Amino acid sequence: MSNMQKEDAFYRNLSFGTGGLRGVIGAGTNRINIYTIAKASLGLANYLNKHYENPSVVIGYDSRIKSDVFAKNAASVLAANGIKVRIYDALMPVPALSFATRYYNCNAGVMVTASHNPAKYNGYKAYGPDGCQMTDDAAAIVYDEIQKTDVLHGANYISFAEGVEKGLIQFVGEDCKKALYEAIEARQVRPGLCKTAGLKLVYSPLNGSGLVPVTRVLKDIGITDITIVPEQEYPNGYFTTCSYPNPEIFEALELGL
């Protein structure tokens, strides 16, 4: 690592705003790693414990590099600090996290994702009890709590396995997943139309977390002629087929076209 790279990795702390944390994965206070994730989680725990009785959080994660590791890391810190945790047992997209936050009447949600950024990024997005991104006021309080924590030794943990054994960490249930699909399908403008419309569909998850929920809903509403872009079908946090996995840019859709 060059001196310039070292300086960039350590010259500041990652900022925590309305969208939470986002940064390059790697060592340093200006990077996303288990220490900065733990620090953010302790800050969130302190905020919740000061503002709610018996607070609870839902955690989701996507296909990005180490997303599952960071999600379990966050769960371990939250559980060690008196927060009841629900966590998805597999990757799911952001709207599923928002839905579960409301479904379980949780006080906050955490999504480990960096949205459409390149593969070297990951992030920690915080959501309020309404399933929307945390407000500026709440984020500012969480950030103040984060600043009080030493990045290497400040956050206390229990192991993820211990949290599960003690019932402090539970998985999002099949009832919640089913309720999400039912809520989506209930919003059809003309129910039953898709079954007879003869639609042909090309779909790409862009190596992300949409494959399971999207194909489930399409099947449920009767769309069966679906071509999935094979190179982009399965989760792959390296995004080797589209270096910037954003459906708003042409390159991301090129293989689908």
Side-chain angles (χ1 to χ4, degrees), residues 198-255:
L199 293 174
K200 296 181 179 181
L201 191 72
V202 174
Y203 169 58
S204 173
L206 295 178
N207 300 123
S209 52
L211 178 66
V212 170
V214 169
T215 54
R216 163 68 184 266
V217 171
L218 292 175
K219 179 182 176 183
D220 285 353
I221 65 175
I223 300 176
T224 57
D225 192 344
I226 305 168
T227 300
I228 299 175
V229 179
E231 301 93 334
Q232 298 174 335
E233 181 173 4
Y234 295 111
N236 177 0
Y238 294 96
F239 302 116
T240 49
T241 62
C242 53
S243 59
Y244 190 56
N246 185 339
E248 296 173 357
I249 64 170
F250 176 81
E251 290 78 9
L253 301 177
E254 204 164 4
L255 287 175

Side-chain angles (χ1 to χ4, degrees), residues 106-148:
C106 288
N107 307 105
V110 170
M111 184 71 194
V112 181
T113 181
S115 299
H116 299 142
N117 282 60
K120 65 181 181 179
Y121 285 84
N122 212 327
Y124 182 100
K125 289 191 173 183
Y127 293 77
D130 58 356
C132 299
Q133 285 192 34
M134 188 171 276
T135 64
D136 288 337
D137 291 343
I141 298 170
V142 172
Y143 183 65
D144 286 342
E145 293 293 339
I146 291 172
Q147 294 302 96
K148 299 173 185 176

Side-chain angles (χ1 to χ4, degrees), residues 164-209:
V164 173
E165 287 169 9
K166 290 183 175 179
L168 296 169
I169 300 172
Q170 295 179 293
F171 292 100
V172 170
E174 291 302 315
D175 55 330
C176 178
K177 297 174 188 177
K178 182 181 178 184
L180 169 64
Y181 298 136
E182 289 176 347
I184 293 169
E185 292 159 20
R187 281 150 180 79
Q188 296 177 76
V189 176
R190 294 177 65 183
L193 181 63
C194 288
K195 291 179 181 177
T196 59
L199 293 174
K200 296 181 179 181
L201 191 72
V202 174
Y203 169 58
S204 173
L206 295 178
N207 300 123
S209 52

